[in-house]
Amino acid sequence: MSRLLLSTCLSVSLLIPAIAEAADRPKQLVIISFDGAHDNALWLKSREMAAKNGAHFTYFLSCTFLMNEAAKKAYQAPHQKRGKSNVGFAQSDDEIRERLGNIWHAHLEGHDISSHACGHFDGRLWSEADWSAEYATFHATLENAWKSVGLQAPAGWQDLVDHGIKGFRAPYLSATAGADMIAAEKKAGFSYDASLVTKGPAMPVEEDGIIRFGLPLIPEGPSEKPIIGMDYNLFVRHSKGEEDTADSTEFEDRAYAAFKEAFDKQYAGARIPLQLGFHFVEMNGGAYWRALDRLVSDVCHRTDVACVSYSEAIPMIEARGKLERTSGL
């Protein structure tokens, strides 16, 4: 055998294990979600961002943004006065009509429409019955949303409301201590919950039939102090929760660096799904949405990365055999 042929064979033999190892590695999952899902301009912006990058997002909808004046007067959250909401209500029927169009088209585009309850109250002390009442209001609001503004619901809307809304995230990430919230979620037909916070990117766990996800703590800033991977938490750290457009570019760069570092660590390592959360508010002059746009534009086109919704992520995680089950006790 010639030296050239021997050298070629050795090179190929060394390359084959590396190729096999790469093929055996699971895709890096990136799960982007939005809480509130109200501002129609940001509905369009997020859908366009997803479309240009081949991504699917999860939208945790607060149902008061589908309530007109009549529904507002009738709404009463557990232990609250009638007509009260911490995030407000829709401002007009036209606004609701546009929002319904965005929700429906996002669903058709493959995004995950999920629940953020209604009036954005802290349910830490709520009972199972309290949660069930709020979930029932959410369902009824979506079921009647088109009719309430004089429109006929599109074919398939009822199926989405009855069977397609599979996930929930508690306002303020404030999950009830104990099993009350989980029990109510099961009765309401949810299959996953995304209300936890984890010390870093972590695989979800199944608790009494509900798959539980958590937003991770990720290193951020010059000191790399951990922070929840969510825009609001960055907003509070960067500017104490006060709008600061003058330093918007600096905040964007810091956020992007934190997101990218968290991604790179998993991409090069165990490939635990990276979850990041956002709101339909462009805080600090849109710094965090711009950082998000940079991240998804960078990573979602890669062949070994999948930017997916929670519902899409679940079977991919289950296929890896990485879903831990617990009784929740």
Side-chain angles (χ1 to χ4, degrees):
M1 182 181 292
S2 70
R3 290 184 178 180
L4 177 60
L5 180 58
L6 178 61
S7 176
T8 301
C9 290
L10 286 172
S11 297
V12 171
S13 67
L14 291 171
L15 184 60
I16 288 173
I19 294 173
E21 181 181 356
D24 288 342
R25 296 196 74 197
K27 287 190 175 187
Q28 174 63 51
L29 303 186
V30 178
I31 307 172
I32 303 298
S33 58
F34 298 93
D35 290 4
H38 57 293
D39 188 312
N40 281 309
L42 295 181
W43 266 109
L44 291 173
K45 187 171 186 175
S46 63
R47 288 171 54 207
E48 290 169 358
M49 185 191 304
K52 75 178 183 180
N53 293 296
H56 286 154
F57 297 148
T58 300
Y59 296 93
F60 291 103
L61 175 67
S62 296
C63 84
T64 55
F65 296 120
L66 294 177
M67 291 184 181
N68 58 17
E69 192 64 27
K72 169 185 174 179
K73 293 177 180 178
Y75 171 61
Q76 185 171 16
H79 313 292
Q80 301 295 329
K81 294 180 180 179
R82 192 174 299 277
K84 181 179 179 181
S85 164
N86 280 347
V87 290
F89 296 85
Q91 299 301 300
S92 69
D93 284 5
D94 283 343
E95 179 190 294
I96 294 174
R97 294 184 186 104
E98 184 178 357
R99 184 168 297 119
L100 285 169
N102 275 308
I103 293 169
W104 182 240
H105 283 99
H107 166 66
L108 295 179
E109 290 159 4
H111 300 291
D112 203 355
I113 307 301
S114 288
S115 173
H116 200 40
C118 292
H120 207 273
F121 295 105
D122 186 342
R124 187 181 304 274
L125 301 179
W126 284 8
S127 67
E128 179 183 334
D130 292 334
W131 282 112
S132 291
E134 187 79 344
Y135 296 152
T137 299
F138 181 92
H139 183 275
T141 300
L142 266 67
E143 186 173 47
N144 298 314
W146 294 81
K147 183 179 180 180
S148 72
V149 292
L151 297 176
Q152 182 175 348
W157 178 262
Q158 189 64 49
D159 184 64
L160 168 63
V161 174
D162 289 341
H163 307 294
I165 297 174
K166 307 304 294 182
F168 175 73
R169 174 174 285 156
Y172 307 106
L173 302 177
S174 184
T176 304
D180 286 343
M181 187 182 76
I182 298 299
E185 286 178 348
K186 287 179 66 176
K187 289 181 179 179
F190 295 121
S191 60
Y192 74 84
D193 173 273
S195 306
L196 298 176
V197 174
T198 57
K199 290 183 178 180
M203 286 293 183
V205 297
E206 185 176 326
E207 181 179 330
D208 293 335
I210 298 292
I211 298 172
R212 304 202 68 186
F213 290 89
L215 289 172
L217 293 171
I218 60 174
E220 190 276 333
S223 65
E224 296 209 327
K225 184 178 179 180
I227 191 170
I228 297 173
M230 192 171 227
D231 56 356
Y232 179 75
N233 301 81
L234 291 163
F235 178 52
V236 171
R237 173 176 288 183
H238 291 168
S239 61
K240 298 182 180 179
E242 298 290 334
E243 190 67 15
D244 178 0
T245 57
D247 296 312
S248 183
T249 300
E250 176 190 344
F251 299 147
E252 173 194 342
D253 290 342
R254 279 184 56 168
Y256 173 72
F259 299 160
K260 188 61 164 50
E261 180 183 351
F263 171 86
D264 287 343
K265 182 176 181 180
Q266 294 308 318
Y267 185 68
R271 296 210 168 175
I272 296 170
L274 176 63
Q275 303 170 59
L276 296 172
F278 298 84
H279 291 79
F280 265 30
V281 179
E282 293 187 296
M283 305 167 199
N284 279 337
Y288 311 113
W289 274 63
R290 293 197 305 274
L292 169 62
D293 196 6
R294 288 168 63 182
L295 180 73
V296 298
S297 297
D298 182 3
V299 307
C300 293
H301 295 281
R302 302 185 191 186
T303 57
D304 54 352
V305 174
C307 294
V308 296
S309 69
Y310 279 106
S311 291
E312 290 172 317
I314 289 170
M316 300 174 80
I317 293 169
E318 289 177 330
R320 292 174 61 178
K322 293 291 187 179
L323 188 60
E324 181 182 340
R325 287 172 170 81
T326 174
S327 68
L329 299 177

